Amino acid sequence: GQSLEQPSEVTAVEGAIVQINCTYQTSGFYGLSWYQQHDGGAPTFLSYNGLDGLEETGRFSSFLSRSDSYGYLLLQELQMKDSASYFCAVSLNYGGATNKLIFGTGTLLAVQP
Amino acid sequence: DTGVSQDPRHKITKRGQNVTFRCDPISEHNRLYWYRQTLGQGPEFLTYFQNEAQLEKSRLLSDRFSAERPKGSFSTLEIQRTEQGDSAMYLCASSLGGGRALSPRNEQFFGPGTRLTVL
């Protein structure tokens, strides 16, 4: 089967750096994405790793190690508005016909003043 | 185009009734996905269309669920004979892509969802 594991909750203070880890066991792996979801809102795309290494987008960075089936999302200079749920999601690819997402259970990030 | 839209945003129904939800994707997107999300969980994949063709359907989707995308634009998701276990947020997403030319970022754009409550 497919499974993704991430911590259920993380707490940090404004201005700090936080890392959210994700480990996965899937077949047909194509890449790892990260989505942010505020309470009652739609998931919004943050970052994607198709290859090993670090991808940086402003205050957010994401890392992938395919050999370790592991990735993380790094959030820097935390702001109160970063309080949200963060989901890692694996893209599955079977012969290029689909790129459906398999989501983890999410990490609830609470940013405190 | 302001993004993916879904209608209705909320639906309350009684057990045994049929419900239908609509999703309007971003206009140039050829791929459309339906997901279901319950409290405290991540979205679960239900089904996927490329243009008007339904290419994959999750085993989570019982025979009571059916989805269509008749002209390759908007999509509908129908649940027949609703059960209390169907209560969830139903999310629609769209993306660009086709065949082996997958979007490098693999970004899916989600709508606001339809929250279904089955009494």
Side-chain angles (χ1 to χ4, degrees):
Chain A
Q2 325 278 6
S3 69
L4 291 87
E5 290 191 12
Q6 49 182 132
S8 58
E9 293 184 21
V10 173
T11 301
V13 297
E14 263 187 305
I17 300 172
V18 71
Q19 178 173 313
I20 299 174
N21 298 322
C22 174
T23 57
Y24 59 87
Q25 280 189 308
T26 64
S27 57
F29 178 88
Y30 190 78
L32 187 70
S33 301
W34 289 90
Y35 283 77
Q36 179 192 60
Q37 187 177 33
H38 285 98
D39 193 27
T44 56
F45 175 86
L46 291 177
S47 189
Y48 173 74
N49 294 77
L51 301 173
D52 285 359
L54 193 68
E55 291 287 336
E56 296 179 85
T57 310
R59 294 188 298 115
F60 298 160
S61 303
S62 59
F63 172 83
L64 175 66
S65 168
R66 295 170 74 114
S67 60
D68 295 324
S69 298
Y70 164 76
Y72 66 72
L73 177 70
L74 193 72
L75 298 87
Q76 302 182 74
E77 300 172 17
L78 282 175
Q79 301 174 9
M80 296 297 290
K81 67 178 183 179
D82 297 329
S83 294
S85 291
Y86 292 83
F87 295 93
C88 58
V90 166
S91 298
L92 299 183
N93 177 24
Y94 299 104
T98 181
N99 64 341
K100 72 180 184 185
L101 295 174
I102 304 298
F103 283 84
T105 52
T107 298
L108 182 61
L109 171 64
V111 180
Q112 297 178 340
Chain B
D1 194 316
T2 56
V4 179
S5 61
Q6 293 187 243
D7 183 71
R9 296 291 306 276
H10 303 272
K11 178 71 177 178
I12 300 174
T13 191
K14 292 182 179 178
R15 189 176 52 187
Q17 297 295 305
N18 299 343
V19 295
T20 300
F21 311 141
R22 177 181 170 121
C23 170
D24 287 89
I26 293 172
S27 57
E28 63 267 27
H29 285 182
N30 58 341
R31 294 184 164 189
L32 187 147
Y33 311 81
W34 285 98
Y35 294 86
R36 179 171 64 190
Q37 186 175 27
T38 54
L39 197 62
Q41 300 296 314
E44 293 177 294
F45 171 80
L46 294 179
T47 190
Y48 149 74
F49 291 85
Q50 181 157 307
N51 300 313
E52 66 277 5
Q54 187 174 20
L55 297 187
E56 189 170 348
K57 194 172 170 180
S58 167
R59 282 171 285 184
L60 292 173
L61 226 56
S62 75
D63 292 343
R64 298 184 296 106
F65 289 72
S66 62
E68 294 183 341
R69 195 183 182 196
K71 295 183 180 178
S73 56
F74 74 92
S75 175
T76 58
L77 177 69
E78 181 183 17
I79 309 175
Q80 296 182 326
R81 305 181 304 281
T82 52
E83 301 172 356
Q84 288 185 324
D86 297 331
S87 295
M89 176 73 85
Y90 289 84
L91 294 164
C92 175
S94 69
S95 72
L96 277 172
R100 296 190 178 274
L102 296 174
S103 164
R105 287 185 2 142
N106 194 35
E107 180 174 357
Q108 295 187 13
F109 294 81
F110 282 81
T114 295
R115 182 168 296 283
L116 173 66
T117 302
V118 182
L119 302 176

